[in-house]
């Protein structure tokens, strides 16, 4: 069951924006001091997880956000399910 690179990138991007929106002031300050764009950092991390198939942590985090009734997390989960189903239909 594989999803396309485009779908992985879309999921990683949306999850990265969600992660950035959840950052507290201390995290923002840390990224600012390091001169690192947090979105880019999260995006690369999530994309790597999706590409390697090592998605346990990402799935758990999205699940926790869904349980907390975070609408964006629900949308990401729906994207993920559609991507996996599309990957199955190609096989």
């Amino acid at each position: 069951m594989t999803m396309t690179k485009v779908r992985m990138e879309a999921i990683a991007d949306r999850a990265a924006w969600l992660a950035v929106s959840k950052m507290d002031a201390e995290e923002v300050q840390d990224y600012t001091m390091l001169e690192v764009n947090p979105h880019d950092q999260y995006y690369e991390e999530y994309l790597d997880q999706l590409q390697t198939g090592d998605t346990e942590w990402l799935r758990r985090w999205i699940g926790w956000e869904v349980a907390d009734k975070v609408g964006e997390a629900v949308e990401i989960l729906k994207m993920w399910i559609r991507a996996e189903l599309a990957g199955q239909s190609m096989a």
Side-chain angles (χ1 to χ4, degrees):
M1 159 170 57
T2 60
M3 66 177 81
T4 65
K5 184 176 186 216
V6 171
R7 288 180 187 261
M8 286 182 198
E9 290 170 344
I11 292 166
D13 182 59
R14 206 152 172 184
W17 284 119
L18 177 60
V20 168
S21 76
K22 297 291 211 162
M23 290 173 52
D24 62 25
E26 186 176 323
E27 289 173 302
V28 170
Q29 185 177 19
D30 289 345
Y31 277 102
T32 301
M33 284 178 33
L34 295 171
E35 296 182 358
V36 174
N37 180 325
H39 172 271
D40 294 349
Q41 184 91 11
Y42 284 119
Y43 173 81
E44 292 299 326
E45 181 181 327
Y46 299 154
L47 184 59
D48 181 63
Q49 290 179 34
L50 290 163
Q51 289 174 334
T52 63
D54 184 16
T55 59
E56 182 178 349
W57 186 90
L58 183 57
R59 285 180 180 269
R60 284 179 190 225
W61 175 65
I62 295 293
W64 292 326
E65 295 299 321
V66 168
D68 285 343
K69 298 180 175 44
V70 176
E72 182 64 8
V74 173
E75 294 305 313
I76 294 167
L77 184 58
K78 289 185 332 191
M79 284 176 66
W80 197 328
I81 292 168
R82 286 184 195 114
E84 287 185 345
L85 290 173
Q88 283 181 342
S89 68
M90 291 183 197

